[in-house]
Amino acid sequence: MANWVTGTVIEAKFWTDTLFSLVINAPIKPFTAGQYAKLALEINGERVQRAYSYVNAPSDDRLEFYFVIVPEGKLSPRLAQLRSGDTLQITDEAAGFFVLDEIPECKNLWMLSTGTAIGPFLSILQEGKDLECFEKIILLHAVRYQKDLSYLPLMQELAKRYPDKLQIITVVSREQCEGSLYGRVPALIENHQLEHAAGIALDVETCHIMLCGNPEMVRDTRDMLKKMRQMNKHFRRKPGHISSEQYW
């Protein structure tokens, strides 16, 4: 049974007309980078809740979450109306296994995300623990339009923090943008553009792939990696090459 506590909004940041972040303060229990909490509002006498990944590092008590407004959604349009001083409900204990402790030993770690699913990767990289076991980390953020790269400045700061380890790749699917790959992630794997941009081969001997995003991207990318690289989904009981988290 979830234990709900009250969180207070410290800051509401609007990136575009549909993308925003909330920074809140709440008495939660310690969590592991990559995990998620449930947020809720009381709407017409009903607690409406959804799961959202932490963007902040566990060592940061400013809890940050990244959202896209779903026009017909029950919760996201209401969350978008919150301002500093407003309150919401949050589970005090985090959940989820999309964490580095669950990743098998590998040389190169690929973090592939779409949209708001960049969150858990930013939490992991901001915390910075257990990164020394990877020679290279490739962080990819795929969006529809360049304006949707909300956290690009933070990603670039992280790249400076880990200059010989972390590489940033951005992908835009609906417009051509300088400095970003164009298209969908599975297609960029199929035509080898992703490997070319990273300068690192996607192979079963050296790589593990963390996938986080919309179910279609996760499914199609997983299928492409299996077809082209003989990579399989990772399980504790049956180690593989792909760990995934779906965002709805």
Side-chain angles (χ1 to χ4, degrees):
M1 193 77 175
N3 183 36
W4 293 91
V5 296
T6 299
T8 302
V9 176
I10 301 171
E11 183 181 3
K13 298 187 283 190
F14 282 82
W15 308 103
T16 69
D17 56 350
T18 59
L19 293 169
F20 69 101
S21 299
L22 292 178
V23 180
I24 71 172
N25 179 265
I28 63 164
K29 296 177 181 178
F31 70 94
T32 301
Q35 289 189 305
Y36 63 85
K38 289 183 179 179
L39 303 182
L41 290 172
E42 199 79 17
I43 301 173
N44 298 324
E46 174 192 2
R47 177 186 281 150
V48 179
Q49 59 182 279
R50 298 287 185 271
Y52 297 100
S53 293
Y54 288 98
V55 175
N56 60 290
S59 55
D60 187 352
D61 59 6
R62 288 169 54 92
L63 311 179
E64 185 163 355
F65 299 91
Y66 186 33
F67 309 88
V68 59
I69 298 174
V70 180
E72 295 79 28
K74 286 187 176 182
L75 186 58
S76 59
R78 298 295 188 97
L79 291 172
Q81 296 173 10
L82 297 179
R83 297 295 182 270
S84 180
D86 290 337
T87 60
L88 72 167
Q89 297 296 300
I90 179 173
T91 49
D92 70 343
E93 195 164 357
F97 298 98
F98 199 65
V99 298
L100 290 187
D101 284 348
E102 297 291 330
I103 303 302
E105 184 178 346
C106 65
K107 179 180 177 181
N108 301 317
L109 180 63
W110 296 72
M111 298 176 163
L112 310 184
S113 67
T114 58
T116 56
I118 187 71
F121 295 139
L122 295 177
S123 180
I124 289 169
L125 292 169
Q126 287 186 94
E127 186 68 357
K129 291 183 178 178
D130 302 320
L131 301 183
E132 63 278 353
C133 58
F134 307 110
E135 185 173 307
K136 297 291 182 182
I137 299 174
I138 300 92
L139 174 62
L140 178 147
H141 192 198
V143 298
R144 294 181 178 183
Y145 301 99
Q146 186 177 29
K147 66 180 181 179
D148 300 331
L149 293 168
S150 310
Y151 284 93
L152 183 56
L154 174 57
M155 294 164 65
Q156 292 168 336
E157 285 180 22
L158 289 166
K160 292 178 181 177
R161 186 188 303 181
Y162 311 110
D164 299 319
K165 185 181 296 286
L166 178 61
Q167 182 175 354
I168 303 299
I169 296 176
T170 56
V171 177
V172 179
S173 64
R174 298 196 178 180
E175 60 182 1
Q176 296 276 0
C177 300
E178 186 178 354
S180 295
L181 298 179
Y182 173 73
R184 295 185 67 244
V185 174
L188 295 170
I189 293 172
E190 185 175 26
N191 62 25
H192 304 285
Q193 285 191 52
L194 181 55
E195 290 171 290
H196 179 73
I200 297 172
L202 274 165
D203 60 58
V204 295
E205 287 79 20
T206 64
C207 297
H208 191 88
I209 291 84
M210 297 179 76
L211 287 174
C212 194
N214 71 71
E216 183 179 353
M217 184 281 283
V218 170
R219 182 195 66 229
D220 292 350
T221 302
R222 197 164 53 209
D223 290 348
M224 185 60 65
L225 289 168
K226 183 174 184 178
K227 173 185 173 183
M228 292 190 63
R229 296 291 186 268
Q230 292 72 54
M231 291 182 170
N232 298 304
K233 190 172 181 179
H234 175 67
F235 299 96
R236 282 181 175 177
R237 65 183 182 277
K238 187 179 180 181
H241 319 93
I242 305 168
S243 300
S244 59
E245 184 100 301
Q246 296 184 177
Y247 254 50
W248 66 74

